[in-house]
Amino acid sequence: MWTHDLIFRLAVEQSAVDFCCAPEDFFRDENVITISCFREGRRADLEPPHVFDLVSYGSNVVACVREDLQEIASSLLARFAPAHCFGAAAIHALDELLLPQGIRVEALSGFFLPCLEGRRIPESPLEIRILEPPDFAWLYRPEWSNALCARRRELDRLCVGAYAGETLVALAGASADSEKLWQIGVDVLPAYRRKGLAKVVTARLAAEVFARGKVPFYGVAWANIPSVRNALACGFVPAWAQLEAKPIRKEGSAEV
């Protein structure tokens, strides 16, 4: 039986694996700095190892960083309150500290977990189909790049599509990023946006993921307001925030 406590506990336990700490570290009164290392069972969408990541469930900040960047993490966390570590002033300050190391802030993300109360699947005038891997094997195209990931296609487990006739117009996909948590992504063709289709396929997919004994979660770039609204409309609620800094990419080459 799914409960809020169980869903939240599974997410926190996964984050502890991902960011090299103990689950209780996310709820301490003080901030925590951990050394980045590879842990078996970490989320597959995270590129190992972390260089400089900040994570918060709202109580404090856990900084998972490369060993030589501990002093930078300590300096930043001493200067800014937890809620402000993800703001513009902190990002500018962090970039000043990291740029001499060839590193800069690359992503700010929010992650959502499902709320059980009031969860329902909206109706749609379009046909809704459940797609297993053989059904979506041919859909690895740019228009579905949020719902499906070509680099990790072996992790894509399940999709829900909305069809206008035989034309796929909206697609939500679930990736088995960890053993217990599956991440949802969604795409809608431009001509069919603002018609509620993202909500239809996302809510249906979340229900299907639960039915398979897994917890759906939803990640979004902070400035992607339409995606945030979709998460909220589908009964997801904010759970944790993440800032990620990486080595600066040289054009036409791999990370340095």
Side-chain angles (χ1 to χ4, degrees):
M1 173 68 71
W2 292 110
T3 66
H4 288 297
D5 287 346
L6 175 58
I7 291 169
F8 191 72
R9 177 173 61 80
L10 291 175
V12 171
E13 289 175 351
Q14 182 61 52
S15 290
V17 173
D18 297 338
F19 300 104
C20 308
C21 65
E24 57 268 24
D25 286 337
F26 293 109
F27 309 102
R28 299 190 185 279
D29 292 331
E30 69 279 358
N31 296 318
V32 175
I33 299 174
T34 67
I35 304 303
S36 173
C37 64
F38 178 81
R39 280 188 172 183
E40 192 68 35
R42 65 179 282 151
R43 275 184 15 227
D45 60 313
L46 299 173
E47 297 179 9
H50 299 290
V51 176
F52 195 106
D53 280 27
L54 303 180
V55 182
S56 179
Y57 273 81
S59 298
N60 67 345
V61 173
V62 171
C64 183
V65 303
R66 207 169 63 192
E67 188 170 6
D68 61 308
L69 301 176
Q70 290 179 85
E71 288 189 11
I72 290 178
S74 180
S75 173
L76 184 82
L77 296 180
R79 181 175 172 185
F80 295 94
H84 296 158
C85 284
F86 300 85
I91 291 171
H92 291 319
L94 182 55
D95 272 344
E96 288 181 0
L97 295 169
L98 291 177
L99 282 172
Q101 311 296 323
I103 303 165
R104 67 183 172 200
V105 175
E106 184 169 295
L108 284 171
S109 304
F111 291 89
F112 295 72
L113 290 172
C115 179
L116 297 177
E117 279 85 20
R119 209 164 46 88
R120 68 180 187 85
I121 302 171
E123 296 182 357
S124 172
L126 301 183
E127 181 186 0
I128 305 301
R129 301 179 190 173
I130 309 300
L131 307 177
E132 302 288 346
D135 303 316
F136 56 75
W138 61 280
L139 293 177
Y140 288 89
R141 303 199 301 256
E143 62 265 38
W144 310 120
S145 60
N146 290 308
L148 297 169
C149 181
R151 290 187 297 110
R152 299 187 303 273
R153 64 178 64 199
E154 71 279 2
L155 300 177
D156 291 333
R157 294 288 193 268
L158 187 67
C159 287
V160 172
Y163 287 79
E166 289 302 311
T167 301
L168 177 64
V169 299
L171 184 70
S175 172
D177 287 353
S178 70
E179 180 185 354
K180 298 176 181 176
L181 275 70
W182 287 9
Q183 183 165 194
I184 288 179
V186 61
D187 291 290
V188 180
L189 296 184
Y192 288 86
R193 291 173 186 167
R194 300 182 181 88
K195 301 179 185 295
L197 291 177
K199 180 179 177 181
V200 170
V201 294
T202 301
R204 178 64 182 272
L205 180 59
E208 294 291 335
V209 171
F210 269 132
R212 284 161 173 75
K214 309 297 181 181
V215 175
F217 74 102
Y218 191 108
V220 58
W222 280 6
N224 191 343
I225 300 303
S227 191
V228 171
R229 287 174 175 164
N230 183 53
L232 297 173
C234 294
F236 286 82
V237 294
W240 74 95
Q242 180 181 346
L243 177 151
E244 185 176 15
K246 291 183 177 183
I248 298 169
R249 299 176 186 271
K250 292 184 178 179
E251 188 175 349
S253 70
E255 290 182 355
V256 296

